[in-house]
Amino acid sequence: MPEAGQKKVSIRIDGELVQLPASHTILQAAAMAGRFIPTLCHFDGLADAGACRLCVVEVSGVARLLPACTTPVQEGMSVVTDSPKLAAYRRMILELLLAERNHVCAVCVSNGHCELQNLAAQLGVASVRYPYRYPKLPVDLSHPRFVLDQNRCILCSRCVRVCASVEGAHVWNVMSRGIHSMVVADLNDPWGDASSCTGCGKCVNACPTGALSEKGQAVEEMMKNTAQLVTIAMRKAVRA
Amino acid sequence: MSRIKLATIWLDGCSGCHMSLLDIDEAILAVAEKADIVYGPLVDAQAFPEGVDVTLVEGAVSSREDLNNVRMVRARSRIVVALGDCAVTGNVPAMRNSIPAAKLLHRIYVEGSQTNARVPNQGVPPLLPQARPVHDFIKVDYHLPGCPPKPALILGLLTELLNGRAATLPVVKFG
Ligand code: SF4
Ligand code: SF4
Ligand code: SF4
Ligand code: FES
């Protein structure tokens, strides 16, 4: 969080002049300018990981696209938050996420309340052009109150970060590389055996999809309490 | 204007998309004014005719028969619509895809059966290794996701197409 009186920089977001402290990101600047940039791995109050790439923007003078959530603002920067090119890349990212694991919304606990599903509709994904992989993936039911369904995980790492920095338990980590990446509890133990878990449920509420849910929720029933968790995470971030 | 030839076909789906089509209620009369339904589970026609204007495809492509049908649909239709999640994404039928088809059939019809345990092979089409979306096999002109798609969305699409206009489909919900 920025200190009061910190040096401010001026940048342009879609042509509009925004002044903000140098420690801020393009995503924060866009929010100040009232511009919507789609995000999946960003969660207010948590350190950004740049995991999903959905927030890519165009910055003049830079040939490649940059993630808005992890790119700090710089004096004189000029940012485009929406264009046909960005829309095409963002759709591509969503389609790749949907093709990577098994997203069967019709039978998912998060159907109708899922950030991935909502963004797909909002950004105009009507079909997935990449071949679905249909991998065989486990569902961890070992925890007394919660479920981890790897079929729905998009590896955003919001669970990892909220558990480590807000709850202070650091139960989750991402194991392996690339397509083999997998969220694991403790040393790749069943979640129910993870002695570090306090059972607080923060990871469940931070998870944007149906990958983490409460036991006993049927199709469409899992609603995440995101607003409350953001408040807690923001307070913690201010204190840190 | 000559009457539009409309067809529907039911592949590996639950028939819910066809039910949703019927759920457009009395608007079906307006559709019937513009179009003849020339094939599908809602009518008696024995064979899929040539020269169809619009075909709505429900269901994933799951068997050899589905595959032959969907290729025929493409060859004989001007506009093909993938109707509903099974046709668009594979959806529930595709949940078998990480299990080899032979193992799956054995588990259900042999291990899971009390009497007459054998994998049926008479009068049923052989399964493909995986159930996959329609656009994996043929060109699809419009995708209408939803499980099932809301009647109003189906009607909106049909109204545009039956009036000879290219439809622009807002995606209100994916999957
Ligand atoms: S996690 Fe979201 S996109 Fe994936 S199946 Fe569930 S509702 Fe659909
Ligand atoms: S329930 Fe709390 S302590 Fe346990 S893994 Fe989730 S965030 Fe960490
Ligand atoms: S379990 Fe949920 S929060 Fe954790 S990485 Fe997967 S999608 Fe993200
Ligand atoms: S929100 Fe920026 S990379 Fe995910």
Side-chain angles (χ1 to χ4, degrees):
Chain A
M1 278 289 127
E3 302 290 322
Q6 200 186 355
K7 186 171 162 286
K8 287 202 171 185
V9 298
S10 303
I11 74 164
R12 282 188 189 276
I13 299 282
D14 298 328
E16 188 183 325
L17 199 61
V18 180
Q19 287 190 313
L20 72 175
S23 60
H24 278 42
T25 63
I26 294 177
L27 188 62
Q28 288 170 308
M32 285 177 69
R35 306 293 300 176
F36 168 74
I37 297 178
T39 60
L40 266 174
C41 67
H42 171 81
F43 194 88
D44 281 339
L46 298 183
D48 279 300
C52 73
R53 284 353 221 195
L54 201 62
C55 67
V56 281
V57 292
E58 296 175 33
V59 177
S60 58
V62 183
R64 67 203 165 89
L65 304 177
L66 295 175
C69 69
T70 54
T71 307
V73 292
Q74 278 174 21
E75 183 61 41
M77 212 177 215
S78 181
V79 178
V80 174
T81 66
D82 200 7
S83 68
K85 178 177 166 184
L86 290 172
Y89 275 105
R90 288 170 184 163
R91 263 202 305 275
M92 191 186 291
I93 290 165
L94 290 172
E95 289 177 44
L96 288 166
L97 287 174
L98 289 163
E100 184 169 335
R101 296 202 174 181
N102 298 304
H103 292 275
V104 192
C105 303
V107 295
C108 179
V109 286
S110 287
N111 188 14
H113 322 284
C114 167
E115 291 184 32
L116 174 61
Q117 187 189 35
N118 289 346
L119 281 168
Q122 197 179 340
L123 303 193
V125 175
S127 65
V128 171
R129 77 197 92 159
Y130 308 109
Y132 284 93
R133 294 179 60 249
Y134 304 117
K136 195 171 176 61
L137 292 166
V139 179
D140 184 346
L141 292 160
S142 62
H143 194 282
R145 287 172 44 220
F146 307 125
V147 179
L148 165 60
D149 183 349
Q150 297 283 2
N151 292 284
R152 315 283 193 249
C153 176
I154 57 169
L155 296 165
C156 68
S157 80
R158 276 159 54 161
C159 56
V160 178
R161 287 172 284 144
V162 80
C163 184
S165 72
V166 182
E167 180 61 7
H170 210 320
V171 172
W172 300 113
N173 254 311
V174 179
M175 182 181 81
S176 299
R177 311 289 291 171
I179 202 76
H180 303 294
S181 300
M182 195 79 79
V183 162
V184 295
D186 278 4
L187 296 169
N188 194 17
D189 293 319
W191 190 1
D193 295 349
S195 54
S196 58
C197 176
T198 65
C200 70
K202 290 189 174 68
C203 54
V204 174
N205 284 305
C207 177
T209 70
L212 291 170
S213 64
E214 286 162 16
K215 277 192 177 167
Q217 302 291 331
V219 172
E220 298 183 3
E221 285 185 353
M222 187 63 229
M223 296 199 210
K224 310 292 175 86
N225 194 341
T226 319
Q228 191 188 35
L229 187 57
V230 166
T231 312
I232 298 169
M234 295 288 274
R235 288 215 186 112
K236 187 99 181 179
V238 171
R239 278 207 306 274
Chain B
M1 202 170 106
S2 67
R3 294 174 63 75
I4 301 277
K5 285 188 188 168
L6 176 66
T8 73
I9 193 163
W10 178 14
L11 309 179
D12 196 0
C14 70
S15 90
C17 297
H18 273 85
M19 293 300 129
S20 204
L21 169 61
L22 289 179
D23 261 353
I24 64 177
D25 297 334
E26 71 277 8
I28 196 98
L29 297 176
V31 171
E33 254 170 42
K34 294 261 182 205
D36 293 320
I37 301 181
V38 294
Y39 185 82
L42 306 176
V43 295
D44 271 341
Q46 294 303 305
F48 196 99
E50 303 274 351
V52 173
D53 292 296
V54 178
T55 300
L56 308 179
V57 181
E58 169 187 332
V61 178
S62 205
S63 67
R64 183 124 303 271
E65 184 183 37
D66 292 341
L67 182 55
N68 293 340
N69 277 335
V70 90
R71 285 184 175 146
M72 177 190 64
V73 161
R74 182 68 274 182
R76 298 182 183 180
S77 318
R78 199 160 52 79
I79 296 171
V80 174
V81 179
L83 180 69
D85 281 355
C86 298
V88 174
T89 75
N91 199 29
V92 172
M95 286 171 73
R96 71 170 169 93
N97 285 358
S98 63
I99 307 165
K103 198 172 155 195
L104 182 82
L105 290 170
H106 191 266
R107 175 75 185 82
I108 294 167
Y109 290 100
V110 180
E111 287 167 47
S113 157
Q114 311 290 339
T115 55
N116 196 18
R118 63 171 192 88
V119 173
N121 55 9
Q122 303 288 308
V124 287
L127 289 183
L128 296 175
Q130 296 189 321
R132 303 197 67 107
V134 173
H135 70 265
D136 274 15
F137 302 95
I138 60 164
K139 179 175 167 288
V140 168
D141 301 293
Y142 294 97
H143 286 96
L144 189 49
C147 184
K150 292 251 185 303
L153 290 177
I154 303 178
L155 182 60
L157 175 69
L158 278 181
T159 307
E160 297 293 304
L161 295 180
L162 297 188
N163 285 298
R165 293 191 288 263
T168 43
L169 276 179
V171 189
V172 295
K173 184 167 180 287
F174 184 76

